Amino acid sequence: MKISLKLYRYNPEIDKKSRYETYQLEADPTDRILDILEFVKGYIDGTLSFRRSCAHGVCGSDAMRINGQNRLACKTLLRDLHGNKVTVEPIMGLRVIKDLIVDMDPFFENFRTVLPYLINDEPAPKTERLQSPEDRERFDDTTKCILCACCTTSCPSFWANDEYLGPAAFVNAHRFIFDSRDRAADERLKILSAQNGVYRCHTVFNCTLACPREIEITKAIGEVKRAISTGSLK
Ligand code: SF4
Ligand code: F3S
Ligand code: FES
């Protein structure tokens, strides 16, 4: 099929401001958007810049706005877009470094703020710290995060204020708050109840719609809010 591909372009060494470039291409409906970007880079314009690594929906590095919606380029087929016009832009709310590459530092700073690792200073047992299947199930959904930022950069609260910790940070806090082996839930809940925490979430749901791992993000945020208000992890 013939497609019209419109790409956001910005090279800070040359351009005073961003612009769009449009390419007319032949592509297959089963091509991924990542394949099409690789084609442009390999055969038309080697200066086109974007992040990618695994190409299989695992590393989370190729989040982009594709026809207005945050998605992973490697998990989006041309035929999913229902038409032959494709627009690819960088995710919103983070500074553009070049073309489709944004500065992810504020996103990862917010992630680190919620202490996204297991904290337990009790003496380690001889073998592993055991957990029942039911206790594991409690936070199973939020273990699936690949830190792609599709959620946080689709959230209006984050567009307005990049110090808002954002849904990806909340998902990763949830993953440890509800882990029966962890002992730092109170500390995390205190961080999450502060000014840029979960109460700046207004249940917009963009995050849940954008997540390529289909994590029920808004539900997880609701569980964190409930834990703060009730003081219970049940
Ligand atoms: Fe990406 Fe989903 Fe994790 Fe957000 S919660 S960073 S959308 S995988
Ligand atoms: Fe934003 Fe998701 Fe809440 S889009 S407002 S974090 S439900
Ligand atoms: Fe790794 Fe798409 S390149 S998730």
Side-chain angles (χ1 to χ4, degrees), residues 24-173:
Q24 307 302 326
L25 305 171
E26 269 297 327
D28 195 278
T30 56
D31 281 344
R32 303 168 305 173
I33 300 308
L34 182 62
D35 299 322
I36 296 168
L37 294 176
E38 299 278 20
F39 178 83
V40 173
K41 187 170 177 66
Y43 295 96
I44 302 177
D45 181 354
T47 68
L48 176 65
S49 301
F50 54 91
R51 286 197 182 99
R52 58 87 88 187
S53 181
C54 71
H56 286 89
V58 180
C59 73
S61 64
D62 62 340
M64 302 171 189
R65 205 150 34 106
I66 301 172
N67 284 5
Q69 196 182 319
N70 282 3
R71 309 169 191 245
L72 296 180
C74 67
K75 279 191 78 174
T76 307
L77 301 184
L78 194 48
R79 69 178 180 208
D80 296 339
L81 303 177
H82 309 294
N84 62 355
K85 288 198 168 148
V86 182
T87 302
V88 186
E89 299 163 295
I91 48 179
M92 290 168 67
L94 294 167
R95 182 179 63 88
V96 175
I97 297 174
K98 187 166 185 268
D99 295 336
L100 303 170
I101 297 179
V102 296
D103 178 4
M104 295 287 284
D105 282 356
F107 173 79
F108 284 112
E109 265 168 43
N110 291 350
F111 166 67
R112 282 189 287 270
T113 301
V114 303
L115 315 175
Y117 38 82
L118 192 94
I119 299 174
N120 186 335
D121 293 334
E122 294 162 10
K126 279 207 173 62
T127 56
E128 63 217 287
R129 294 186 199 272
L130 290 175
Q131 185 167 54
S132 70
E134 294 73 32
D135 284 348
R136 174 64 175 71
E137 183 60 29
R138 182 70 185 85
F139 61 95
D140 185 65
D141 196 36
T142 47
T143 63
K144 297 186 300 192
C145 177
I146 54 171
L147 291 173
C148 66
C150 279
C151 55
T152 296
T153 61
S154 67
C155 174
S157 297
F158 183 74
W159 297 338
N161 167 19
D162 71 5
E163 287 182 13
Y164 167 57
L165 295 177
F170 303 149
V171 160
N172 286 279

Side-chain angles (χ1 to χ4, degrees), residues 155 157 164 170 197-205 207 218 221-222 225:
C155 174
S157 297
Y164 167 57
F170 303 149
V198 285
Y199 292 111
R200 281 196 188 265
C201 162
H202 303 297
T203 327
V204 172
F205 266 95
C207 53
T218 313
I221 297 171
K225 285 179 179 169

